[in-house]
Amino acid sequence: MAPPCAVFPAADLPDAIQLDQGKRRKPAPGSAGHKIDLSACELLSMVQYDCQVERPQDRQETVKCWPVQRWFRRCADQKGSFVVETTAWEDKKNAHA
């Protein structure tokens, strides 16, 4: 069974990635600073689909799907790379741009 996930506001994500299982992450060798800069990490995306049948009792009803864009950042620390979902954080970051 997976460990419970912490819940926090999207604005706190840059601080939250500084910890790995409760221990402070050490930046990758050669990186500047003492913290991992989330905005400098590689940006990745994936499209998933939210599909629904509006009237499931109607056998002729079609399935309707809507795309859902999800964003991720691939960062590096001393252990190697890790990926974190940043969808809500990217939306908030771009709202202020």
Side-chain angles (χ1 to χ4, degrees), residues 4 9 19 43-44 48-50 58 64 67 75-77 81 83 91-92 96:
L19 299 177
L43 181 62
L44 307 167
Q48 290 184 308
Y49 291 88
D50 177 17
D58 182 355
K64 295 184 178 159
C75 302
D77 62 9
S81 66
V83 177
D91 290 343
K92 290 202 177 290
H96 299 315

Side-chain angles (χ1 to χ4, degrees), residues 50-91:
D50 177 17
C51 299
Q52 297 177 8
V53 178
E54 290 182 1
R55 294 183 307 262
Q57 65 279 6
D58 182 355
R59 295 179 70 82
Q60 301 301 317
E61 183 67 18
T62 58
V63 176
K64 295 184 178 159
C65 298
W66 296 268
V68 177
Q69 182 78 45
R70 294 178 67 191
W71 297 97
F72 302 84
R73 295 279 178 157
R74 182 177 316 163
C75 302
D77 62 9
Q78 270 189 345
K79 293 180 182 177
S81 66
F82 64 95
V83 177
V84 60
E85 182 174 0
T86 60
T87 303
W89 182 75
E90 302 292 345
D91 290 343

